C-alpha cells in the first residue's frame, strides 16, 4: 500500500513547543503538532464565543492598541483577509504586507531575518506566509514576539487545519469515529499535511485519493501508521465516496511543479459533480481550503452538504481565538 516515496521534507527541525490548556500566551504557532486535545477544545470554545460575539455586536475592544503584521511572500485571499478581519473585529490594527513583498525591501534583497526583526519593532504578533519549508521556524528563531505560520511552502498551514477541524466538529457534532477522505494534491498541499497531522490525535479513518505522483509524503504516512490509524490510498474517488463523512478536496498546487507538463497531466484528474454527490451519505460534508480551480463543480454549491463557504467563515472565528490567545487575552 505504502510504496517508497522520497521524504519530501524534514519536520525534525520544527520546534514542537507543546501548548497545553489555555497556555497560548506568547507562543508561536508553527505546527499542528504543538496542540494537544485539551488546547484544541479550548480554542474551539473560544472560537464559538467569538462567533456569538460577532453575531450580537460585530466586534470588541479586546485587542485595542495591539498591532498585527501580515507578511505574505505568497498570494492569499482568505488567510490574509480573515486574519485582518479577526484583528479588526477585536479592536486591533494591522500592517498589511500582503499585496506582494515586491513593494517592500524584500525586493532589495533583505533577508527574512532582517525583515522580521524590523517588523517586530512595530507590532505585537506577525502572521507569515513564505514559500520555504521551515521559514516560520526561522522567523520564530529571530523574533521575540509570536510568529503565526500562515503556510511555509509545502510544509504546514496550522491555522487552516484548526479551522478545518473546527468546521468538521461544528458540522457533524464530533470528530471521533468519522471517515475522512482527502482528494487531490496530497503531496504539495500543506493544508492536508497539517490536517492529517492533527487528525492523528483522533479516532478517525483516513482515505487518501490522489494521482500516483501526488501521494501523501512518506514522512506523514509514517506518522499515521505509527499511530495505528486505519488508512488507505486510492486513485479513484468512487472508492471512497459512499462511506466518507468528510470529503476534503484540494487544488493541484501548480506553483510547486518544476515540470509544467507533469502538472498538465494531473490537473484535471478530479471533479466533484452532482452525480458523484448522489452516491455520498446524506450527512457527508464537502470541504475545500479554497481557491478551487475546477475540482468542485459550481452546481455542487447548492447542495447543503457543500460546507466550504461556512468553512471560510469559521476561519475568522478561529483566528480571532488564536490572536486573543497568543496576545494573552484569554
Ligand atoms: C491554501 C494554501 O494557501 O495552502 N489556501 C488557503 O490558505 N486557504 C490552499 C491552496 O492554495 O490551494
Amino acid at each position: 500500500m505504502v510504496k517508497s516515496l522520497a521524504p519530501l521534507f524534514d519536520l525534525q527541525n520544527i520546534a514542537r513547543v507543546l501548548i497545553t490548556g489555555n497556555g497560548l500566551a506568547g507562543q508561536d504557532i508553527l505546527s499542528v503538532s504543538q496542540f494537544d486535545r485539551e488546547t484544541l477544545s479550548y480554542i474551539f470554545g473560544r472560537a464559538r464565543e467569538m462567533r456569538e460575539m460577532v453575531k450580537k455586536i460585530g466586534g470588541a475592544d479586546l485587542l485595542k492598541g495591539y498591532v498585527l503584521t501580515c507578511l505574505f511572500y505568497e498570494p492569499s485571499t482568505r488567510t490574509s483577509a480573515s486574519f485582518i478581519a479577526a484583528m479588526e473585529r477585536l479592536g486591533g490594527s494591522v500592517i498589511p504586507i500582503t499585496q506582494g513583498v515586491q513593494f517592500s525591501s524584500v525586493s532589495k534583497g533583505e533577508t527574512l531575518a532582517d525583515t522580521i526583526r524590523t517588523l517586530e519593532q512595530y507590532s505585537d504578533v506577525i502572521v507569515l506566509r513564505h514559500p520555504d519549508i521551515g521559514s516560520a521556524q526561522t522567523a520564530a528563531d529571530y523574533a521575540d514576539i509570536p510568529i503565526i505560520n500562515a503556510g511555509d511552502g509545502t510544509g504546514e498551514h496550522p491555522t487552516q487545519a484548526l479551522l478545518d477541524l473546527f468546521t468538521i466538529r461544528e458540522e457533524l457534532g464530533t470528530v471521533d469515529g468519522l471517515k475522512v477522505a482527502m482528494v487531490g494534491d496530497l503531496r504539495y498541499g500543506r493544508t492536508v499535511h497539517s490536517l492529517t497531522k492533527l487528525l492523528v490525535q483522533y479516532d478517525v479513518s483516513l482515505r487518501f485519493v490522489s494521482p500516483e505522483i501526488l501521494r501523501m509524503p512518506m514522512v506523514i504516512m509514517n506518522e499515521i501508521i505509527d499511530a495505528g490509524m486505519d488508512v488507505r490510498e486510492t486513485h479513484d474517488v468512487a472508492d471512497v465516496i459512499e462511506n466518507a463523512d468528510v470529503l476534503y478536496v484540494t487544488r493541484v498546487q501548480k506553483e510547486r511543479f518544476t515540470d509544467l507538463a507533469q502538472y498538465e497531466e494531473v490537473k484535471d484528474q478530479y471533479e466533484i459533480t452532482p452525480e458523484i454527490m448522489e452516491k455520498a451519505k446524506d450527512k457527508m460534508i464537502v470541504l475545500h481550503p479554497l481557491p478551487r480551480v475546477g475540482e468542485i463543480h459550481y452546481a455542487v454549491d447548492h447542495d447543503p452538504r457543500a460546507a466550504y463557504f461556512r468553512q471560510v467563515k469559521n476561519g475568522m472565528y478561529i483566528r480571532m481565538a488564536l490572536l486573543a490567545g497568543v496576545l494573552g487575552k484569554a
Side-chain angles (χ1 to χ4, degrees), residues 74-80 129 150-151 153 156-157 160 163 188-191 248 250-253 255-256 288-292 319:
E74 283 189 338
S76 167
T77 299
R78 277 148 291 269
T79 307
S80 56
R129 171 170 289 186
E156 277 218 43
H157 194 346
Q160 177 73 42
L163 79 89
Y188 296 122
R190 54 196 171 199
T191 70
Y248 191 98
T250 65
R251 170 182 74 90
V252 177
Q253 309 278 297
E255 65 275 32
R256 310 293 179 207
H288 192 309
L290 302 176
R292 72 173 143 183
R319 287 165 177 141

Side-chain angles (χ1 to χ4, degrees), residues 209-272:
V209 186
S210 73
E212 183 61 28
I213 60 163
L214 298 180
R215 285 166 62 189
M216 185 63 81
M218 199 177 70
V219 64
I220 298 180
M221 288 305 288
N222 287 341
E223 261 189 65
I224 300 165
I225 292 161
D226 287 350
M229 294 175 87
D230 167 32
V231 55
R232 276 180 230 162
E233 295 179 281
T234 172
H235 302 312
D236 197 345
V237 176
D239 292 339
V240 305
I241 192 68
E242 284 170 24
N243 290 321
D245 299 296
V246 177
L247 192 69
Y248 191 98
V249 187
T250 65
R251 170 182 74 90
V252 177
Q253 309 278 297
K254 184 179 182 184
E255 65 275 32
R256 310 293 179 207
F257 284 73
T258 42
D259 177 1
L260 274 186
Q262 219 176 32
Y263 167 74
E264 292 296 327
E265 265 172 42
V266 290
K267 75 176 167 72
D268 294 324
Q269 194 126 338
Y270 304 110
E271 187 189 22
I272 307 305

Side-chain angles (χ1 to χ4, degrees), residues 89-142:
R89 284 190 187 271
L90 289 175
S93 41
V94 183
I95 302 173
I97 309 185
T98 53
Q99 299 306 314
V101 285
Q102 67 268 29
F103 300 115
S104 76
S105 284
V106 169
S107 66
K108 301 180 188 169
E110 186 166 62
T111 61
L112 177 62
D114 280 357
T115 303
I116 289 289
R117 281 183 293 187
T118 298
L119 293 169
E120 74 168 331
Q121 309 303 323
Y122 313 133
S123 31
D124 303 288
V125 52
I126 296 175
V127 173
L128 173 71
R129 171 170 289 186
H130 192 282
D132 295 343
I133 291 176
S135 51
Q137 175 67 63
T138 304
D141 289 343
Y142 283 96

Side-chain angles (χ1 to χ4, degrees), residues 149-165:
N149 182 4
D152 61 330
T154 57
E156 277 218 43
H157 194 346
T159 67
Q160 177 73 42
L162 293 175
L163 79 89
D164 295 339
L165 189 61

Side-chain angles (χ1 to χ4, degrees), residues 171-172 178 244-246 280-286 305:
E171 293 278 332
L172 299 176
L178 298 181
D245 299 296
V246 177
K281 290 184 186 174
D282 289 345
K283 285 206 149 178
M284 177 265 245
I285 53 166
V286 185
R305 295 169 293 181

Side-chain angles (χ1 to χ4, degrees), residues 14-30:
I14 292 192
R16 310 255 169 109
V17 178
L18 198 65
I19 299 169
T20 51
N22 58 4
L24 279 165
Q27 298 291 344
D28 302 306
I29 297 176
L30 306 178

